[in-house]
Amino acid sequence: MRVLGIVVEFNPIHNGHQYFIEQAKEKVKPDIIIAVMSSSFSMRGDAMVIDKWERSKIALEYGIDIILELPYLATVASADYFCYNAIKTLTAFGITDLAFGAELDNLDKLNEITNILNSHSFNSIIKESIDKGLSYANSSYKALKELTNDQTIIDSYSLPNNTLAVGYLKALKDLNEEINVTIIKRIENNYFDEELNETSINSATSLRKQISLGMDITSQTKANYHFLNPNIANNNLLQLLRFTMIIRTDDELANISGVNEGIENRIRSFINETQNYDELVKIVKTRRFPPNRIKRVFLNIILNINKEYENNYHYYLRIMAMNTTGKKYVNKLPKEIKNQIITSFKNQDNYLVNVELNASKLFGLIYNQPNIFINEFKTPYVEGAIKYDNKRNQGED
């Protein structure tokens, strides 16, 4: 049986995701597709523009059979941890195949990058460069140039989808999992493109910008979904961050995950210098604290995420949605896996659930939907029937 796993954020879900899913189905010919999806906030530290329950419903419409949740602590982390947490979740559900998008659709070269990053030489150069004050990104680039003459690898290393691709491959090695890998080349746009092009496939970055401007992006999606305006979320996050910085002592801030090297002092210095959340990110950032890292720190401060969770691997098995094909598959999973599956937060009490619940409450507050977190308790999972004609390849068990 071919079980295809994918890692998604869907912020927002769009035609590029549809292309990716269709290409993955065509190349792998899976019997079932399982996605692990970030919950209320993205790896970059942004609030999602569609809540996780609605995104789970939409994911079923795009041909995914089971949607698993990647909780806050597993999502809002650097690429290495994000990738490991996602792959750990998928492998627990028995995937045989993994598909991901990348700017470089060359598995040999991506594996070569992975091997370099895992080498002692690479880590030694990184440490030496960081000790001299270079950022991690610049230190990595310097190390790569010293360890390979392959210009394609050097040029491709820092591209965002390649970074995640390498993270997924590294996670598979760390987990010692023999999984078939399929790469779908990114087309027609770049990850950070902020302006729409004239095609039907645009970057999520450009689409979020259009949503923030109140523009219609129906042509970029399967349907006219209800999007939440990120400007509203960011304005409210700024006010919450200001209040939190007032009530937190220096010692309390120092114990927050991601708060290192005195970054809390920069935040205190600049917190009242702007009325714009994105502008605050820009003026607080440093070489060692790029914008995405800053946004993750802001969220951790607001949510009071303790340092004990920093640089750790986190995952749980929570089903957000599944169709009839997904339900049949889950029923056949080993008992030890089924016993770990969460479908509701009722009677759940562990650190991942508790943090996720607070993140869900925060998401509701910043979008002026304070009761949305109740879904964590009353929604076991979104159910859906198969809504597409797949003519799946019936592979051998």
Side-chain angles (χ1 to χ4, degrees):
M1 184 177 192
R2 301 293 293 272
V3 182
L4 173 62
I6 60 175
V7 183
V8 298
E9 292 210 299
F10 291 160
N11 191 34
I13 192 166
H14 56 75
N15 293 342
H17 295 122
Q18 183 176 2
Y19 170 82
F20 166 75
I21 293 167
E22 289 174 350
Q23 287 292 302
K25 283 163 54 181
E26 181 178 324
K27 292 186 177 185
V28 177
K29 294 180 172 55
D31 299 284
I32 185 169
I33 303 176
I34 302 175
V36 59
M37 184 181 75
S38 302
S39 57
S40 296
F41 296 90
S42 73
M43 187 188 80
R44 300 173 66 196
D46 295 320
M48 298 297 189
V49 296
I50 305 177
D51 73 67
K52 61 186 182 181
W53 295 278
E54 188 64 25
R55 272 183 295 127
S56 297
K57 292 178 186 177
I58 295 170
L60 292 175
E61 296 174 6
Y62 275 70
I64 298 171
D65 300 300
I66 300 174
I67 297 89
L68 305 174
E69 178 172 76
L70 196 65
Y72 176 90
L73 284 179
T75 296
V76 183
S78 62
D80 277 355
Y81 292 94
F82 172 88
C83 293
Y84 184 97
N85 294 329
I87 299 303
K88 178 67 174 176
T89 304
L90 289 172
T91 55
F93 257 68
I95 64 167
T96 61
D97 292 77
L98 176 70
F100 51 77
E103 292 88 355
L104 177 63
D105 59 339
N106 185 315
L107 183 57
D108 289 338
K109 288 189 183 294
L110 288 173
N111 273 319
E112 189 174 343
I113 295 173
T114 305
N115 291 334
I116 291 172
L117 267 56
N118 282 338
S119 70
H120 176 73
S121 298
F122 182 83
N123 291 318
S124 295
I125 297 171
I126 290 283
K127 184 179 185 307
E128 181 181 336
S129 299
I130 287 178
D131 288 344
K132 291 179 179 178
L134 289 180
S135 67
Y136 181 84
N138 288 335
S139 299
S140 300
Y141 185 73
K142 179 177 182 295
L144 205 65
K145 288 193 72 173
E146 290 186 25
L147 296 173
T148 182
N149 294 319
D150 189 323
Q151 196 59 44
T152 300
I153 286 178
I154 294 170
D155 293 341
S156 301
Y157 162 68
S158 62
L159 296 176
N161 289 109
N162 290 343
T163 299
L164 291 176
V166 169
Y168 300 141
L169 293 174
K170 183 177 183 298
L172 289 175
K173 288 180 182 293
D174 291 344
L175 290 165
N176 196 28
E177 293 283 354
E178 295 292 331
I179 303 295
N180 302 310
V181 172
T182 298
I183 304 171
I184 310 299
K185 184 172 176 60
R186 190 180 181 99
I187 62 169
E188 296 189 10
N189 65 84
N190 294 314
Y191 183 91
F192 291 116
D193 285 350
E194 293 191 2
E195 303 303 324
L196 289 181
N197 59 43
E198 295 181 355
T199 70
S200 62
I201 295 179
N202 279 271
S203 71
T205 302
S206 66
L207 296 181
R208 286 194 297 273
K209 181 178 179 181
Q210 294 299 305
I211 293 168
S212 70
L213 295 172
M215 305 298 289
D216 181 11
I217 64 165
T218 305
S219 65
Q220 302 294 317
T221 63
K222 286 173 77 79
N224 187 19
Y225 305 119
H226 174 65
F227 298 107
L228 302 168
N229 192 316
N231 288 340
I232 294 174
N234 287 345
N235 288 339
N236 287 330
L237 279 172
L238 178 59
Q239 301 312 316
L240 286 169
L241 181 63
R242 281 178 170 157
F243 176 73
T244 306
M245 292 299 292
I246 290 171
I247 64 172
R248 293 267 191 274
T249 66
D250 289 344
D251 287 343
E252 288 172 332
L253 285 173
N255 203 37
I256 298 294
S257 177
V259 175
N260 301 298
E261 302 177 29
I263 194 65
E264 68 274 23
N265 298 322
R266 284 186 64 81
I267 299 172
R268 282 202 192 280
S269 298
F270 295 118
I271 190 74
N272 294 316
E273 298 222 350
T274 178
Q275 296 297 316
N276 184 284
Y277 185 81
D278 290 330
E279 183 65 27
L280 179 63
V281 172
K282 290 178 182 178
I283 61 178
V284 171
K285 73 178 180 68
T286 68
R287 287 184 300 175
R288 302 283 286 272
F289 281 81
N292 293 347
R293 187 176 178 186
I294 288 294
K295 286 186 285 186
R296 293 195 292 262
V297 168
F298 286 174
L299 289 176
N300 288 344
I301 290 174
I302 294 170
L303 287 168
N304 195 28
I305 305 299
N306 194 280
K307 234 182 186 63
E308 67 179 296
Y309 303 130
E310 185 176 305
N311 296 333
N312 285 314
Y313 298 123
H314 309 280
Y315 89 103
Y316 61 16
L317 303 181
R318 185 188 188 192
I319 295 175
M320 291 297 294
M322 59 182 169
N323 59 24
T324 51
T325 299
K327 193 178 296 186
K328 289 177 182 177
Y329 179 79
V330 169
N331 287 338
K332 294 179 181 179
L333 287 172
K335 185 177 180 180
E336 61 266 25
I337 295 298
K338 286 195 283 190
N339 288 342
Q340 296 178 48
I341 295 174
I342 298 170
T343 54
S344 167
F345 282 177
K346 286 181 181 178
N347 303 317
Q348 295 291 328
D349 184 21
N350 65 66
Y351 75 100
L352 277 173
V353 166
N354 295 335
V355 171
E356 182 60 30
L357 180 58
N358 286 337
S360 186
K361 290 178 179 179
L362 175 61
F363 180 87
L365 285 174
I366 62 178
Y367 277 123
N368 302 320
Q369 298 180 32
N371 293 323
I372 197 171
F373 77 94
I374 294 172
N375 286 321
E376 304 284 13
F377 299 97
K378 73 178 185 180
T379 305
Y381 54 83
V382 177
E383 292 190 71
I386 299 175
K387 297 186 178 181
Y388 59 101
D389 180 15
N390 191 11
K391 295 182 181 178
R392 297 168 186 259
N393 175 52
Q394 298 301 316
E396 295 180 356
D397 288 340

